[in-house]
């Protein structure tokens, strides 16, 4: 059955759904939450919880990457961010948190201009090495992220510094980038020549995800312009509702397993998950893990000090994000494991996932991907405190 709808006589479109449009239905046995496993594994690395800290300066610093790693997750450091541009980025982060908005809305051109100025400092390769070494010395798994545009320039430094998992993350990443002026990154050749697993994205549908899987990527990031600080939908008119995007990429994973003779590529939902219910539904749609920005930016240890922004916000020609105030709910451990005093799903994220899995009778994440869902549209309160 086709889900195409007619917009007008000259245009048809597929109907797509956000995480807010779906709900999980318990219809099996129930379990004790203590009997539920939320661990996952990518390549040789196993984690107690399917949570990755997004490579955003307001979320992941070397210190929070270490803390998240010790709590069972994986922090991904932005290797093009403030930590690789400044010897002492704490003062820059404090300056960003202290910027006063003169606008009545979040969109303040003066703040955007200041962010662009601060991020115009050059990336220093020696700081890439230093930050990765700091995380490695703590004994946790080390993950670092570059955009496709910067990968060729810095990847040798990143690999030599001892990164365990390499992340290539952009607003959207394709296996077939075309340019008449620059030599594009050959993802398939690049991944083949690396000795570490590569996670790449974002992808927003079946076809681009299938192409990324064929490059040899260990994981594919799913998402496009859905985060709390993103304005991509307003500036570029592009947006991928997450429930449909995850389900489509999960279908590509299923078909790629058959095509490749059994190779499993992990699907990682990235963006638009501001509370525990969103995380639960992302797994239910077929994600193996989730990459969180806003949800972790609310931790007391987060370098954004209650504010959140991404690299899209500092683009020199076409900024597509704002510095968003997300507040603070407690320590990183509380955000992940509780105890919680919030009723809006902003803390005890892992506990909520366990409880949802237990309520529907599933004992691990791969089983939970088969849970029944229904369409249940409601007004989003995803980012409200």
């Amino acid at each position: 059955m086709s889900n195409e709808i007619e917009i007008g006589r000259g245009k048809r479109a597929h109907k797509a759904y956000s995480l807010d449009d779906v709900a999980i239905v318990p219809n099996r046995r129930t379990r004790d939450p203590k009997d539920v496993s939320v661990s996952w594994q990518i390549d040789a690395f196993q984690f107690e919880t399917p949570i990755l800290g997004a490579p955003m300066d307001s979320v992941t610093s070397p210190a929070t990457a270490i803390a998240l790693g010790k709590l069972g997750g994986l922090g991904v450091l932005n290797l093009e961010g403030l930590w690789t541009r400044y010897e002492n980025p704490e003062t820059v982060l404090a300056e960003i948190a202290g910027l006063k908005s003169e606008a009545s809305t979040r969109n303040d051109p003066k703040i955007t201009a200041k962010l662009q100025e601060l991020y115009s400092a050059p990336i220093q390769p020696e700081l890439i090495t230093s930050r990765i070494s700091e995380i490695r010395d703590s004994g946790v798994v080390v993950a670092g992220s570059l955009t496709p545009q910067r990968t060729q320039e810095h990847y040798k430094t990143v690999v030599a510094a001892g990164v365990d998992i390499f992340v290539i993350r952009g607003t959207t990443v394709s296996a077939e980038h075309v340019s008449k002026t620059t030599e594009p990154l050959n993802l398939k050749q690049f991944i083949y020549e690396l000795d570490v697993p590569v996670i790449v994205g974002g992808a927003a549908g079946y076809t681009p995800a299938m192409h990324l899987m064929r490059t040899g990527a260990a994981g594919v990031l799913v998402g496009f312009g859905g985060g709390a600080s993103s304005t991509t939908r307003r500036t570029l008119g592009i947006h991928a509702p997450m429930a449909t995007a995850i389900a489509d990429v999960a279908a590509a994973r299923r078909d790629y397993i058959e095509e490749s003779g059994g190779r499993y590529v992990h699907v990682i939902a990235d963006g638009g998950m501001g509370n525990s219910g969103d995380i639960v539904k992302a797994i239910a749609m077929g994600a193996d893990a989730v990459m969180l920005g806003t949800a972790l930016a609310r931790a007391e240890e987060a370098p954004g000090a209650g504010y959140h922004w991404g690299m899209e916000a500092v683009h020199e020609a076409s900024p597509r994000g704002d510095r968003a105030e997300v507040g603070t709910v407690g320590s990183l451990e509380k955000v992940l494991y509780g105890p919680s005093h919030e009723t809006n799903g902003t803390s005890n994220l892992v506990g909520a996932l366990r409880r949802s899995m237990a309520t529907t009778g599933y004992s691990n994440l791969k089983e939970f991907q088969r849970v029944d869902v229904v369409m249940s549209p409601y007004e989003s309160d995803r980012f409200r405190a």
Side-chain angles (χ1 to χ4, degrees), residues 99-122:
L99 292 173
K100 301 300 182 184
S101 177
E102 299 176 5
S104 58
T105 62
R106 183 189 295 174
N107 176 23
D108 189 328
K110 290 185 178 180
I111 289 181
T112 298
K114 187 61 179 180
L115 288 172
Q116 291 169 322
E117 175 191 332
L118 293 171
Y119 277 86
S120 66

Side-chain angles (χ1 to χ4, degrees), residues 30-38 354 357-358 362-364:
T30 57
R31 295 181 183 272
D32 188 322
K34 295 178 182 177
D35 297 332
V36 170
S37 171
V38 294
R354 284 183 181 276
M357 293 170 64
Y362 293 92
S363 60
N364 61 61

Side-chain angles (χ1 to χ4, degrees), residues 206-222:
Y206 178 97
T207 299
M210 179 65 83
H211 288 171
L212 291 177
M213 291 174 186
R214 288 169 178 161
T215 67
V220 172
L221 299 171
V222 185

